[in-house]
Amino acid sequence: LATFIRRGLYETSVRDLSRALALQSGGIYYWFKDKDDVVVTCAEEAALRLEEHLIAPALQDIREPDRMMERLRLRADELRPMMKFFASVRACSRYEERLRPVLGRLAERYEKYAARFASELHCELQEIAPYVYFAITTVTDYMIFGEASYIEPQIRLIKAAIRSILEKDDTERTI
């Protein structure tokens, strides 16, 4: 994965990948069917790492929306090269069919993340799920385009929705 991130999807050769794994030239074929198999495996690993470093920590900050979004932005800045690799693979029609199961698993995990946010916020899933998906899309856009002003309206909307849910929860707890 690091080799693809450093060199780029199209510039990375099988020789580069073998060297990065300390294998003889072509030794990668012992583990993978072809370079496309390596690309798809690395794309899925990139998606998992992005989730691990973005979504899971956001759960820790959910009761402080300003802090959560700022920390998401900082982590997104650090992870931008990984997202750009994932996006380049996803944009290539060559990998479209092979990525379909990867994207399906990703969508299933997003549903579970939305349920975790709902549990943490003590709200109904349908109340927070659209904002979880919207936040994922917004952070993804930021990582690809790198322009904070482009996503500011979305960030304000997400923070306002979370604050509203938190206020409702606080009110219900005091009653």
Side-chain angles (χ1 to χ4, degrees), residues 70-137:
E70 179 57 22
R71 289 181 61 180
L72 269 172
R73 187 190 61 75
L74 293 171
R75 286 189 294 271
D77 286 339
E78 294 169 10
L79 296 168
R80 179 174 286 124
M82 191 177 304
M83 176 52 82
K84 286 190 173 193
F85 164 72
F86 182 78
S88 69
V89 174
R90 180 58 191 105
C92 182
S93 61
R94 173 183 188 143
Y95 303 110
E96 190 172 330
E97 199 58 41
R98 290 177 79 174
L99 273 179
R100 193 160 283 139
V102 171
L103 296 172
R105 289 189 292 275
L106 189 62
E108 289 171 12
R109 289 191 303 272
Y110 285 177
E111 289 178 20
K112 290 176 184 172
Y113 289 127
R116 286 177 60 196
F117 276 92
S119 174
E120 195 66 34
L121 290 167
H122 307 116
C123 69
E124 296 297 320
L125 178 62
Q126 64 269 18
E127 195 174 359
I128 191 63
Y131 296 102
V132 171
Y133 304 142
F134 192 38
I136 290 168
T137 302

Side-chain angles (χ1 to χ4, degrees), residues 20-99:
L21 295 170
L23 300 171
Q24 293 179 353
S25 185
I28 201 147
Y29 294 119
Y30 179 78
W31 304 101
F32 298 95
K33 177 172 73 173
D34 53 25
K35 182 182 174 187
D36 289 353
D37 195 29
V38 178
V39 169
V40 171
T41 299
C42 287
E44 184 160 26
E45 179 62 24
L48 290 168
R49 288 184 189 183
L50 288 162
E51 290 174 54
E52 178 184 327
H53 290 91
L54 293 168
I55 298 173
L59 273 166
Q60 296 170 358
D61 295 332
I62 192 64
R63 296 207 162 268
E64 298 178 56
D66 290 326
R67 181 174 187 228
M68 179 186 73
M69 295 312 290
E70 179 57 22
R71 289 181 61 180
L72 269 172
R73 187 190 61 75
L74 293 171
R75 286 189 294 271
D77 286 339
E78 294 169 10
L79 296 168
R80 179 174 286 124
M82 191 177 304
M83 176 52 82
K84 286 190 173 193
F85 164 72
F86 182 78
S88 69
V89 174
R90 180 58 191 105
C92 182
S93 61
R94 173 183 188 143
Y95 303 110
E96 190 172 330
E97 199 58 41
R98 290 177 79 174
L99 273 179

